[in-house]
């Protein structure tokens, strides 16, 4: 494997992990009708995925003798984008559960 392939796989794994954690949070938010639970589950799952992927990236980049600067820039960029991603997910879950609470009250009432 070359340096560019490792960097590309890192970004692909990050995008896949973001999708999976968003789905996990969405399912939790919809089932519990509480956006905070969906937000927390997205936050935790994305943090766990980030740790696992950065651990893999560290091992794979050392095998191909990647320099320190590209490694740091890739990891820092992902860490900077993570809070924005989680914040957007929070607003999505809040919007989804707000509409869901209204329909649940109409059915019960």
């Amino acid at each position: 494997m070359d340096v560019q392939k490792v960097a590309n796989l890192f970004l692909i794994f990050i995008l896949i992990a973001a999708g999976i954690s968003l789905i996990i949070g969405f399912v939790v938010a919809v089932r519990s009708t509480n956006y905070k639970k969906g937000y927390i589950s997205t936050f935790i799952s994305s943090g766990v995925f980030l740790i696992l992927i950065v651990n893999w990236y560290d091992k794979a980049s050392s095998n191909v003798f990647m320099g320190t600067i590209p490694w740091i820039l890739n990891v820092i960029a992902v860490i900077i984008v993570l809070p924005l991603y989680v914040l957007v997910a929070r607003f999505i879950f809040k919007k989804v559960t707000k509409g869901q609470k209204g329909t649940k009250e109409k059915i019960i009432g």
Side-chain angles (χ1 to χ4, degrees):
M1 229 181 325
D2 62 339
V3 173
Q4 190 60 44
K5 188 170 184 178
V6 170
N8 290 343
L9 283 174
F10 173 69
L11 294 176
I12 290 170
F13 290 154
I14 290 293
L15 291 174
I16 291 171
I20 291 171
S21 64
L22 188 66
I23 291 170
I24 290 170
F26 185 79
V27 168
V28 170
V30 168
R31 293 213 179 217
S32 67
T33 65
N34 187 350
Y35 76 94
K36 290 180 183 178
K37 289 181 181 179
Y39 167 73
I40 290 171
S41 64
T42 298
F43 182 76
I44 291 171
S45 63
S46 62
V48 168
F49 283 136
L50 179 66
I51 291 169
L52 293 173
I53 292 170
V54 167
N55 189 21
W56 169 83
Y57 185 54
D58 183 36
K59 291 177 184 175
S61 63
S62 66
N63 287 339
V64 295
F65 304 110
M66 180 182 281
T68 305
I69 298 295
W71 189 92
I72 289 174
L73 290 177
N74 283 340
V75 172
I76 295 293
V78 169
I79 290 173
I80 289 172
V81 172
L82 180 67
L84 297 173
Y85 162 75
V86 174
L87 185 65
V88 168
R90 180 181 183 267
F91 288 122
I92 291 171
F93 298 153
K94 191 172 186 178
K95 187 86 165 171
V96 167
T97 57
K98 182 179 180 184
Q100 196 177 37
K101 286 181 182 177
T103 58
K104 209 171 202 181
E105 289 174 1
K106 288 179 187 176
I107 293 171
I108 294 172

